[in-house]
Amino acid sequence: MKDNSQDAPDAAQLDTVIYNGTVVTGNPELEIVEAAIVGIKDGEVVRLEKETPDHPVPEARKKLNAEGALVVPGLVNTHTHLPMTLFRGLADDLPLDRWLNEHIFPAEARHVNPDSVYWGSLLACCEMLLSGTTSCCDGYFHEEHVAAAVSESGMRGVLGQGVIDFPAPGVPDPERNVEAAVRFVEDWKQKSPLIRPSIFCHSPYTCSEKTLFAAKKAAKKHDALFQIHVAETLRERTDCEAQRGISPVRYLERLGILDKNTLLVHAVWIDDEDIEIIRRTGAAVSHAPESNMKLASGTAPVPKLIESKVPLGLGTDGCASNNTLDLFSAMDVCAKLHKVHTLDPTVSSARQVFAMATSGGAASIGLGNLVGSIAIGKRADIVLVDIRKPHLVPVYSPVSHLVYAVKGTDVAHVFVDGNHVVENGRIKTLDVDEIMDRVSTLATGIARQA
């Protein structure tokens, strides 16, 4: 891709124009516009058209020649635990219960604090921006420091303060877990147009009925997304059925948790009745295939969720259970996993999976009216992928390439809300070297006590 960006401070009509690339719009028809012009003004897409003699490239303060690039919507990662970059590779090849109880929960108790959360989240933002993710949905503790990092990076985020019925980082008294989440929501509701605060209950087995009900009531009051891990493992489902006589999804429905502002994470061990409940209530699902595979949790019934038109997004999970935040990798794995699981090469098509990482993901976390596609009137969260590389030549189908061939390292430019935050593969908003050094120092202490 040619780097022919130009700055013209006196050009007043548009802030930025991206031209000469191939736009994959991400709209329902997945329209592709070649030799396209994308005009951005005040963070919004205001022009999208094919360059012709009658429609030449307009003047703008900044012009970016996208020759040799696919111009795509910024990717939307619908499930992350950003500070867990600190624990990347700390405990691998273990079942979920041992992984959590013997390694992750003890490490969090010792090492999760405002400073580590901030620097771990900054590292996560670097990784996501450099690999084309412009929006993320996060849930963790000390979430105010996650929010500070995401805001500093220039990313867009739906960020949830963690709620759990155990002493947790920043919330030593479990009786005050919902109170802490509400305080976070109230503090961040008006702080940044790019940050939407949320409430994240860890799971039905770590939160009591009282906690779940109170947290959902608070989320409704503040019009905030309610996130929860659910039906992640077979053991979780069988334990719930043994204790309550119903599945985890039906349990949440009975408590009044499920509605259009609820995000169900994982949803691996669900049946047809569960899927119908999710569809009817309007709840969304975040699918994290790489984490599910690595922890051997199982394979979520994604083809059935797609067929039932359940709002569906794609997530990476945290770096302790994946171990990267590259959503291009997650797309490739997602498409192939469900083909081999069902023995049907037609399921989880490239078009469907690309939608999960863009428009579907945005809709599932309440951002569908803002981002997820390149369209006039939407915010300008846009990624340029350099396809002048041997592993990306030739191109017969841009969408196929984006799902099956592109890597996060192929991203050249990233815009969030019209701001050029990654330029020629370099982040403009953060000092990446300093962040890596700080996290490496923190990791030395973690390794010493592992």
Side-chain angles (χ1 to χ4, degrees):
M1 179 176 60
K2 286 186 178 180
D3 177 22
N4 291 338
S5 60
Q6 305 171 20
D7 290 307
D10 296 330
Q13 185 177 6
L14 294 172
D15 296 325
T16 303
V17 63
I18 302 167
Y19 67 99
N20 206 25
T22 298
V23 170
V24 182
T25 60
N27 62 18
E29 296 76 28
L30 261 184
E31 181 184 4
I32 293 173
V33 183
E34 296 181 351
I37 295 170
V38 180
I40 302 169
K41 179 72 173 177
D42 297 328
E44 181 180 307
V45 177
V46 295
R47 290 185 66 172
L48 174 58
E49 59 199 28
K50 183 179 177 65
E51 181 184 352
T52 67
D54 293 332
H55 296 280
V57 177
E59 290 303 315
R61 291 185 176 90
K62 185 180 189 74
K63 289 185 176 182
L64 181 59
N65 185 348
E67 181 181 2
L70 297 180
V71 183
V72 304
L75 305 185
V76 181
N77 190 336
T78 59
H79 184 57
T80 61
H81 306 297
L82 299 185
M84 295 188 85
T85 54
L86 295 166
F87 307 130
R88 191 194 317 262
L90 179 67
D92 291 330
D93 307 325
L94 294 168
L96 178 64
D97 55 347
R98 285 189 57 201
W99 177 78
L100 274 176
N101 295 312
E102 297 178 20
H103 297 274
I104 298 304
F105 285 160
E108 288 178 328
R110 288 191 295 264
H111 302 291
V112 172
N113 56 59
D115 188 58
S116 65
V117 164
Y118 172 72
W119 289 104
S121 297
L122 283 177
L123 182 65
C125 291
C126 292
E127 185 178 352
M128 288 188 293
L129 284 172
L130 288 170
S131 56
T133 293
T134 56
S135 299
C136 70
C137 186
D138 186 71
Y140 208 65
F141 306 107
H142 290 300
E143 196 69 13
E144 68 274 18
H145 300 285
V146 176
V150 173
S151 182
E152 186 177 334
S153 76
M155 282 190 67
R156 194 181 302 275
V158 178
L159 310 177
Q161 168 63 28
V163 173
I164 194 168
D165 282 340
F166 303 106
V171 192
D173 181 1
E175 291 294 321
R176 314 197 63 176
N177 51 17
V178 176
E179 177 186 327
V182 169
R183 185 165 58 249
F184 167 73
V185 170
E186 291 176 342
D187 287 349
W188 275 90
K189 202 163 189 179
Q190 303 297 331
K191 273 192 179 180
S192 167
L194 296 182
I195 303 296
R196 288 194 179 184
S198 168
I199 295 177
F200 172 66
C201 278
H202 178 266
S203 66
Y205 60 89
T206 56
C207 294
S208 66
E209 288 191 22
K210 176 184 174 183
T211 297
L212 291 168
F213 185 81
K216 181 60 181 180
K217 181 179 179 181
K220 283 183 176 179
K221 177 180 178 182
H222 293 281
D223 194 27
L225 183 70
F226 178 92
Q227 309 174 50
I228 187 166
H229 295 130
V230 66
E232 182 175 359
T233 65
L234 177 59
R235 178 177 176 179
E236 178 189 342
R237 182 180 180 104
T238 56
D239 284 354
C240 187
E241 289 175 334
Q243 294 164 11
R244 302 184 176 94
I246 51 177
S247 72
V249 167
R250 294 195 269 282
Y251 171 60
L252 293 181
E253 182 199 25
R254 191 180 74 185
L255 294 181
I257 301 296
L258 305 184
D259 59 29
K260 64 181 180 63
N261 282 326
T262 299
L263 180 69
L264 304 176
V265 179
H266 295 296
V268 174
W269 291 95
I270 56 176
D271 58 24
D272 290 348
E273 184 178 347
D274 294 327
I275 292 172
E276 173 55 23
I277 289 170
I278 296 170
R279 185 205 63 77
R280 176 169 45 78
T281 59
V285 170
S286 173
H287 178 42
E290 292 170 305
S291 174
N292 294 342
M293 291 170 67
K294 185 169 183 248
L295 292 169
S297 298
T299 305
V302 164
K304 287 187 176 182
L305 289 167
I306 292 173
E307 183 180 355
S308 298
K309 295 183 168 44
V310 169
L312 187 61
L314 194 62
T316 58
D317 213 333
C319 282
S321 62
N322 184 342
N323 300 25
T324 78
L325 300 172
D326 183 349
L327 210 57
F328 282 104
S329 170
M331 281 195 281
D332 179 51
V333 168
C334 178
K336 293 173 181 174
L337 167 64
H338 298 290
K339 296 177 192 304
V340 73
H341 182 70
T342 61
L343 301 180
D344 182 351
T346 68
V347 303
S348 296
S349 69
R351 294 172 65 92
Q352 291 170 332
V353 172
F354 182 69
M356 288 170 61
T358 53
S359 58
S364 72
I365 61 172
L367 299 179
N369 63 324
L370 295 177
V371 298
S373 62
I374 301 176
I376 292 174
K378 285 204 169 182
R379 305 308 293 174
D381 289 13
I382 296 172
V383 170
L384 275 66
V385 177
D386 182 359
I387 56 171
R388 288 296 300 167
K389 296 184 176 182
H391 67 285
L392 297 175
V393 174
V395 180
Y396 298 112
S397 165
V399 175
S400 172
H401 258 36
L402 289 166
V403 172
Y404 295 120
V406 168
K407 311 299 181 187
T409 50
D410 298 322
V411 169
H413 297 270
V414 177
F415 292 82
V416 182
D417 215 48
N419 297 311
H420 200 172
V421 294
V422 173
E423 186 171 9
N424 295 315
R426 297 183 64 86
I427 296 179
K428 300 171 67 176
T429 54
L430 300 172
D431 185 334
V432 180
D433 289 333
E434 179 190 10
I435 293 165
M436 291 192 296
D437 288 344
R438 293 295 292 266
V439 172
S440 295
T441 299
L442 291 167
T444 299
I446 294 171
R448 193 178 298 124
Q449 297 183 45

